[in-house]
Amino acid sequence: MAKTKRPMDTEPWSQVPEMLRTAAESRWHAFLDAAKQSGARIPEDSAFRACACRVFAISDFVSETCTRHPHLVTELLDSGELLADSWPGILRQRVADQLSECADEARLNKTLVRIRRREMLRIAWRDLAGWARLEETLSDLSDLADGCIYGALDRLNDWQSQETPAPLGANRRPVTMIVIAMGKLGACELNFSSDIDLIFAYPDARAARRPDALSPEQYFTRLGQSLIHSLSGADAGGPVFRVDMRLRPYGTSGALVCSFEALEEYYQSQGREWERYAMIKARAVTGDEACVTELMELLRPFVYRRYLDFHTFDALRDLKRQIQREVERKGLEDNIKLGPGGIREIEFIAQAFQLVRGGRETRLRQRGVVQVLGSLADLRLLPRHVVDELIEAYGFLRRTENRLQAMHDQQVHELPDAELEQARLAVAMNYPYWKSFRAALEGHRRRVEAHFQQVFASPQAEQPQTREPLVELWLGDLSTDEAVRALERAGFDDTEEALRWIGQLHSGVAPRYLGEQGRMRFDILVPMVLAAVSRQDHAAEVLGRLVSVLEHIAGRTTYLALLQENPLVLSQLVKLCAASNWIAQQIARFPMLLDQLLDPRTLYAPLAREDLEAELERRLDDVEPSDLEQQMDRLRQFRHAMVLRVAAADIAGAVPLMLVSDELTDVAEVVLNKVLSIAWTEMVTRYGEPRCKVGRKKRPVQFAAIGYGKLGGKELGYGSDLDLVFLHDSTGSDQKTSGRKSVDNAVFFTRLGQRMIHMLETMTAAGVLYEVDMRLRPSGNAGMLVSGIEAFADYQRTEAWTWEHQALVRARFVAGDAGLGQAFNAVRASVLTMPRDPGKLRAEVREMRERMRAELGSKTGGDFHLKHDRGGIVDIEFMVQYLVLRWCNDHGELLRYTDTINLLKVLARESLLRSVYAQTLIEAYQQYRALGHRLTLAEASVVVSEQTLQRQRKKVAQIWKQLMET
């Protein structure tokens, strides 16, 4: 008798490898029988059936779920959920709607199991069919877990609070337990069959005032136990999710639920490095927004340190070594999570940079691995091609992991040994054969392992043989004669001086600050320093500068780790210290400047004005507006870092003189504008906005800072003060602020100016921001700290001395209201274009110059004060200022510029100064200023030998005589 053909006999099984067909067909027929018996409708669509062939061939979990619950397939198809992409929030809402109908805990638990079964079938089918991207699969798995946690907790809390009142917060309202998701759930990257790592916490609370009330710890412990019980599904036919609570403080021996205060105390005093690593992915699943924000802010300082923390590399190396030993002991080389080139190595790479730099770089405070890797490329912390390879490998490995687990709904990470299972996984990953899949997998793993080794390579692991004598020297294993010979062979020019500096490192202040870990790092680092210094000219002198730096960072093992872990940083440090003692002293005083040496591409390319503003905002981004002390420190750190960049580029010859001063001026202006913004906000918060009444209309009053001298002339040097004048435009009547604590505008602006000066000049741990000179304001130190624009104009026109008009030549608006800046420009123009008697003007300028030369010039013969002696910088500036005041009335082009060089060019172009004179003065001025920069960087005096730039001095003096004395 002929056998009747079943419907599936004609299906396209040719797409499934032959070894999988028999078992898959059997599972499919079992499903059809179950569907027929239950009355479930099975689609006849050929495309769906072709897809079913593939899915049933791969996954026992899917086929068994369909066979036991055939109506689920019909339900998912009819609702459109099997074919449609998911979107954020839909799963959480779907779960909440179903759980809201549960009347008791038993029903809740059964509903959770049913929800899990349905959604996992949908997620697995879409993934194995190739209908969902990896991101959707991971997101759906995470959203399902979130929904179950949130919905179950909500119902359980309702029932428990009916038995005993919930604890109350500060506002006397019930508080809720916050469930913190860790690991892959925290990152919204949950595996198909993963445990969920949770921590339970609650905000500040007290027991309700009722006899049956429990303490917060008792209440939330009971609630947490109920939640774990419901999620485990022990009474409802299997787990919804396996819950792992071992990441909580003190692990399994710790309290099940912690208060915010207890969490903070634990992580501040006892938190370990691996817990920082774990806490990167922490995400609150439940709780109101305010409490969640408070909790995340509480945890952030533990995870993301304010400094660059290179201890992380050692800690992660140790963790990786522990994992590697476990892999080797258990033979887990084929573990795609823990094995070489596996998922964990990619995670380690991303999270190492997060832990090292996340305190400074907010873009790295993300939970998702792919997002972090993308930021590493954007920030140029890893090359783009490396990031692309890591992201591609991560996607491949995670798809492999999920599809491996979806085969049997088991938490496995090892590649299968059985030929049948290998064929299933190969098909799931869209490869015709196991060998082709395995080859692709091994290619990704090799690349990951290579990048991992590159990132986590220990520089001291393999020291070149040529360094061994220096190691022995530092460790005291050489006699004096042997030490001298070792230093000579290394290249030191003055071995006696070098030994003295090495002796100071051994017996000076450094050993006092070195703990056990610091001593180990120091003993590795110092020979590296000696080797790097030995290649410099005047190596012993350079070593002395490095000794100062090392003594200042000895107690800060994070900086020892930075230099030890990054030979490039050490190389840049030695190079800069060799070129400039000023830089060496700056780094010794402010070791955070070492951070700038990490990337030579940025070190030698100072930022443009808009980039400076963005960088400053980034550094202040996480500082509370009320925390003035922290704002002042961040401003100082920014200024020191940006000036170091300029100095490095200057030393390297990467920027010309004019740009050095321009960049230093840009840094000062960006800082000044931010200082004004902070001070203004603080003053307005306290007193309200300043206003005045002109006629019948009230209007706001504005403020502006005017830069004079080097700031006004865009000619700042490395150690320049800021010459400032403050102006406001308050006039008319009713001149007072609008706040409850109203004050006169004059008081407001005086306090505003004082606040700005305080922020600029106060010495903090990060030094001084800028010294400020306010003596050029009307009436000097006897005048008002902040002048009204009208009073300023009247003073300039009627009372100011000629030297004050000279100063006005180099004055310009630098911060505050642009409209008031334009008003200042109008006053400046009107004053500079005033008619003057040429002879009287020249005499007054010459008289002031001679007085300055007598008071400020060098007092001994044979020396030359670069700025104040005859033929120096001030002679050039005074000649230019005289000519501007002399001719500005007829040549408005002179009003456009405030810097000496551009004014000289205009004077020559307008035929007001002989071109040969202008060119001579420009060249001399540039050489003087370039030498001034070099002397500052070398921490040398601006009084130089008489022979220095003698030809330039002579020519400048001759032009002075021609122009000012005849």
Side-chain angles (χ1 to χ4, degrees):
M1 184 174 177
K3 184 178 178 182
T4 304
K5 283 191 174 183
R6 286 175 166 267
M8 197 63 186
D9 291 346
T10 59
E11 297 301 329
W13 288 97
S14 59
Q15 297 181 14
V16 176
E18 188 172 350
M19 72 169 58
L20 302 180
R21 289 180 194 171
T22 301
E25 284 190 74
S26 176
R27 288 193 291 270
W28 174 257
H29 293 318
F31 165 59
L32 292 179
D33 290 342
K36 184 176 180 180
Q37 291 176 16
S38 66
R41 179 180 56 82
I42 304 302
E44 298 293 332
D45 180 75
S46 60
F48 172 78
R49 294 217 167 188
C51 175
C53 292
R54 170 186 170 84
V55 174
F56 272 56
I58 296 170
S59 174
D60 285 353
F61 163 74
V62 170
S63 62
E64 290 171 5
T65 302
C66 289
T67 301
R68 292 175 184 171
H69 309 280
H71 64 280
L72 286 180
V73 178
T74 306
E75 182 183 323
L76 288 168
L77 285 168
D78 289 346
S79 67
E81 294 168 23
L82 189 62
L83 302 176
D85 295 347
S86 294
W87 60 92
I90 186 64
L91 265 177
R92 182 163 174 163
Q93 187 59 53
R94 193 183 298 163
V95 173
D97 290 344
Q98 294 181 63
L99 295 185
S100 65
E101 300 174 359
C102 298
D104 54 41
E105 194 168 339
R107 182 65 178 169
L108 172 73
N109 297 347
K110 290 180 180 178
T111 303
L112 285 169
V113 171
R114 178 172 53 79
I115 290 170
R116 195 261 184 192
R117 179 192 308 126
R118 180 183 189 275
E119 297 302 333
M120 293 297 273
L121 174 62
R122 180 186 65 83
I123 294 168
W125 190 300
R126 285 181 54 77
D127 182 36
L128 296 175
W131 295 347
R133 295 180 301 111
L134 174 65
E135 294 78 11
E136 180 189 324
T137 300
L138 301 181
S139 177
D140 274 4
L141 290 166
S142 302
D143 285 351
L144 175 61
D146 281 1
C148 291
I149 293 168
Y150 183 86
L153 182 64
D154 185 58
R155 301 301 295 135
L156 292 168
N157 188 55
D158 282 349
W159 295 327
Q160 182 167 307
S161 64
Q162 292 170 14
E163 297 178 8
T164 179
L168 304 177
N171 55 6
R172 297 185 179 180
R173 294 180 179 177
V175 300
T176 58
M177 186 173 75
I178 293 180
V179 178
I180 306 170
M182 306 290 288
K184 286 186 166 58
L185 177 57
C188 296
E189 297 176 342
L190 196 63
N191 289 340
F192 191 84
S193 297
S194 178
D195 296 350
I196 54 175
D197 298 292
L198 304 178
I199 295 175
F200 298 154
Y202 62 89
D204 183 37
R206 57 179 176 77
R209 294 182 178 178
R210 277 177 41 180
D212 58 342
L214 299 174
S215 69
E217 183 175 0
Q218 292 171 324
Y219 183 93
F220 291 120
T221 297
R222 180 184 297 182
L223 183 59
Q225 291 168 337
S226 298
L227 177 62
I228 294 170
H229 180 77
S230 291
L231 292 175
S232 72
D235 301 334
V240 183
F241 289 100
R242 295 177 297 273
V243 179
D244 191 334
M245 300 294 298
R246 289 176 296 175
L247 291 180
R248 70 185 188 268
Y250 303 106
T252 54
S253 62
L256 185 67
V257 187
C258 291
S259 66
F260 284 9
E261 183 179 1
L263 278 178
E264 184 174 28
E265 169 63 26
Y266 173 81
Y267 289 120
Q268 283 186 352
S269 62
Q270 301 190 51
R272 289 159 291 181
E273 198 67 25
W274 69 263
E275 288 176 297
R276 287 184 64 208
Y277 165 76
M279 199 58 71
I280 282 177
K281 295 184 182 292
R283 176 176 61 88
V285 177
T286 66
D288 67 76
E289 186 176 348
C291 288
V292 168
T293 300
E294 179 186 353
L295 176 61
M296 292 298 104
E297 284 301 304
L298 178 151
L299 295 173
R300 181 172 56 81
F302 168 65
V303 181
Y304 296 113
R305 307 285 167 80
R306 282 162 52 184
Y307 50 83
L308 294 185
D309 186 8
F310 280 88
H311 292 299
T312 297
F313 284 102
D314 264 355
L316 287 178
R317 281 194 201 104
D318 288 341
L319 187 55
K320 174 60 180 173
R321 279 193 287 267
Q322 292 173 27
I323 293 172
Q324 188 62 35
R325 284 195 293 269
E326 189 74 0
V327 166
E328 293 171 357
R329 186 176 68 83
K330 295 184 176 180
L332 300 178
E333 284 77 8
D334 271 351
N335 187 300
I336 58 173
K337 177 181 179 181
L338 302 179
I343 294 168
R344 184 55 53 85
E345 288 190 355
I346 302 175
E347 293 174 336
F348 274 11
I349 290 171
Q351 290 163 350
F353 283 99
Q354 287 183 279
L355 292 174
V356 170
R357 295 175 174 275
R360 296 276 184 86
E361 183 52 71
T362 56
R363 280 179 287 181
L364 295 179
R365 298 177 195 171
Q366 303 180 74
R367 299 182 181 94
V369 172
V370 172
Q371 290 73 26
V372 174
L373 289 172
S375 294
L376 293 178
D378 294 340
L379 295 167
R380 298 192 294 180
L381 298 175
L382 282 178
R384 175 64 66 178
H385 77 276
V386 170
V387 167
D388 289 343
E389 289 182 356
L390 289 172
I391 289 175
E392 185 180 359
Y394 186 74
F396 188 94
L397 291 167
R398 289 304 305 274
R399 281 191 297 274
T400 302
E401 178 184 47
N402 268 314
R403 291 170 184 176
L404 183 61
Q405 294 184 359
M407 287 161 59
H408 302 285
D409 191 15
Q410 294 176 354
Q411 189 181 18
V412 293
H413 299 95
E414 291 82 24
L415 295 174
D417 294 325
E419 188 178 357
L420 186 67
E421 297 295 287
Q422 290 176 347
R424 281 183 166 188
L425 183 56
V427 170
M429 291 298 292
N430 300 315
Y431 285 87
Y433 307 106
W434 172 251
K435 286 185 177 180
S436 57
F437 162 73
R438 186 64 189 253
L441 173 66
E442 291 308 313
H444 285 300
R445 293 180 67 178
R446 281 195 302 271
R447 287 188 286 274
V448 170
E449 187 174 15
H451 296 319
F452 180 86
Q453 295 298 338
Q454 185 69 25
V455 170
F456 285 91
S458 179
Q460 70 276 10
E462 295 184 8
Q463 294 294 341
Q465 293 297 311
T466 54
R467 292 192 180 185
E468 287 186 3
L470 296 179
V471 174
E472 294 175 348
L473 185 158
W474 171 249
L475 295 178
D477 296 336
L478 301 182
S479 67
T480 301
D481 289 343
E482 289 172 330
V484 168
R485 286 195 294 272
L487 289 172
E488 287 175 343
R489 285 195 298 269
F492 279 86
D493 56 324
D494 187 338
T495 56
E496 183 178 347
E497 182 73 357
L499 283 174
R500 187 177 70 80
W501 287 120
I502 294 170
Q504 180 166 323
L505 277 180
H506 269 297
S507 60
V509 299
R512 304 177 199 171
Y513 304 112
L514 291 170
E516 181 179 353
Q517 186 184 37
R519 168 54 70 184
M520 292 173 61
R521 287 196 180 277
F522 207 66
D523 286 344
I524 294 170
L525 176 60
V526 173
M528 296 170 67
V529 171
L530 293 175
V533 168
S534 68
R535 294 187 286 271
Q536 303 297 317
D537 294 335
H538 310 293
E541 181 181 352
V542 176
L543 178 60
R545 298 173 185 178
L546 267 297
V547 166
S548 177
V549 173
L550 291 174
E551 287 184 332
H552 280 84
I553 66 172
R556 308 182 191 188
T557 54
T558 186
Y559 289 119
L560 298 179
L562 168 60
L563 294 174
Q564 177 196 339
E565 295 283 356
N566 294 270
L568 181 60
V569 175
L570 178 58
S571 173
Q572 296 301 318
L573 173 64
V574 171
K575 176 181 177 182
L576 291 174
C577 289
S580 168
N581 191 46
W582 180 84
I583 289 181
Q585 292 303 314
Q586 288 292 104
I587 294 174
R589 290 181 61 201
F590 311 113
M592 55 88 185
L593 290 175
L594 289 169
D595 304 348
Q596 299 300 310
L597 310 185
L598 280 164
D599 189 350
R601 293 170 300 181
T602 57
L603 176 64
Y604 296 103
L607 299 175
R609 175 66 178 262
E610 57 272 18
D611 295 326
L612 286 169
E613 292 168 347
E615 173 68 10
L616 180 55
E617 290 300 328
R618 185 188 69 78
R619 288 174 179 252
L620 292 168
D621 184 56
D622 61 342
V623 180
E624 290 294 328
S626 58
D627 191 348
L628 182 62
E629 181 180 352
Q630 187 63 239
Q631 288 174 323
M632 289 169 64
D633 272 348
R634 294 288 179 89
L635 283 163
R636 283 153 176 75
Q637 291 166 7
F638 167 80
R639 187 249 172 157
H640 295 319
M642 296 306 106
V643 170
L644 177 63
R645 287 190 180 189
V646 177
D650 186 8
I651 288 170
V655 291
L657 164 72
M658 297 286 285
L659 282 182
V660 170
S661 290
D662 285 349
E663 288 165 356
L664 292 172
T665 302
D666 282 344
V667 172
E669 287 188 42
V670 168
V671 167
L672 189 61
N673 275 276
K674 178 52 67 173
V675 166
L676 171 55
S677 174
I678 294 170
W680 180 271
T681 299
E682 181 184 346
M683 296 296 295
V684 168
T685 300
R686 186 179 301 176
Y687 301 114
E689 292 187 354
R691 300 178 180 275
C692 67
K693 190 173 184 181
V694 180
R696 295 184 178 181
K697 295 183 69 175
K698 271 198 169 184
R699 65 169 177 82
V701 177
Q702 305 298 340
F703 175 91
I706 309 301
Y708 277 71
K710 291 181 179 179
L711 175 61
K714 299 184 180 180
E715 297 169 350
L716 281 184
Y718 292 106
S720 298
D721 297 347
L722 301 185
D723 292 298
L724 295 172
V725 169
F726 295 151
L727 302 175
H728 65 75
D729 66 352
S730 183
T731 188
S733 60
D734 201 15
Q735 299 185 44
K736 59 183 181 181
T737 60
S738 61
R740 291 185 178 180
K741 189 179 179 182
S742 180
V743 295
D744 289 343
N745 287 347
V747 174
F748 177 93
F749 285 115
T750 297
R751 293 179 181 174
L752 174 66
Q754 291 169 339
R755 197 62 169 160
M756 290 178 65
I757 294 171
H758 169 78
M759 291 178 65
L760 290 164
E761 290 195 328
T762 298
M763 174 67 75
T764 74
V768 170
L769 199 48
Y770 286 99
E771 296 289 349
V772 177
D773 191 336
M774 299 291 297
R775 290 176 295 178
L776 289 173
R777 68 184 186 268
S779 302
N781 289 337
M784 297 285 290
L785 185 64
V786 186
S787 301
I789 185 68
E790 292 180 354
F792 176 81
D794 183 64
Y795 175 85
Q796 290 291 339
R797 294 187 185 109
T798 62
E799 298 183 47
W801 295 78
T802 297
W803 66 264
E804 290 176 286
H805 289 174
Q806 288 179 244
L808 201 60
V809 170
R810 304 178 76 192
R812 63 186 178 87
F813 164 75
V814 292
D817 180 69
L820 184 51
Q822 292 177 353
F824 163 77
N825 288 339
V827 173
R828 176 177 178 268
S830 69
V831 173
L832 294 184
T833 56
M834 289 169 53
R836 290 176 173 84
D837 178 88
K840 181 180 179 183
L841 173 64
R842 183 167 58 177
E844 290 175 346
V845 172
R846 186 174 60 241
E847 180 183 347
M848 175 56 69
R849 178 68 191 101
E850 289 170 353
R851 186 184 308 168
M852 287 178 62
R853 188 182 295 125
E855 293 177 0
L856 302 173
S858 60
K859 307 300 182 185
T860 58
D863 290 330
F864 171 52
H865 194 297
L866 200 61
K867 182 176 180 181
H868 292 295
D869 275 348
R870 186 177 298 279
I873 289 174
V874 177
D875 274 2
I876 299 173
E877 291 173 344
F878 268 49
M879 284 188 279
V880 170
Q881 291 160 16
Y882 159 70
L883 291 170
V884 171
L885 293 175
R886 167 71 177 84
W887 295 110
C888 202
N889 186 39
D890 298 319
H891 299 269
E893 181 73 4
L894 291 168
L895 292 171
R896 287 184 55 190
Y897 300 102
T898 59
D899 64 290
T900 301
I901 289 176
N902 273 312
L903 286 171
L904 281 166
K905 291 178 181 178
V906 174
L907 289 167
R909 193 165 57 243
E910 297 285 317
S911 300
L912 305 174
L913 179 67
R914 290 172 59 185
S915 295
V916 66
Y917 283 1
Q919 188 59 37
T920 297
L921 294 177
I922 287 172
E923 291 175 1
Y925 197 69
Q926 289 176 328
Q927 290 175 323
Y928 289 160
R929 284 176 53 201
L931 178 57
H933 288 325
R934 294 292 183 273
L935 292 171
T936 300
L937 292 176
E939 290 205 318
S941 171
V942 292
V943 178
V944 296
S945 70
E946 189 177 20
Q947 287 73 34
T948 303
L949 297 174
Q950 193 171 40
R951 183 175 61 85
Q952 289 81 357
R953 291 173 51 202
K954 184 177 180 180
K955 287 185 176 182
V956 171
Q958 288 173 346
I959 295 172
W960 174 273
K961 186 173 183 179
Q962 288 288 326
L963 196 63
M964 305 300 294
E965 295 180 1
T966 58

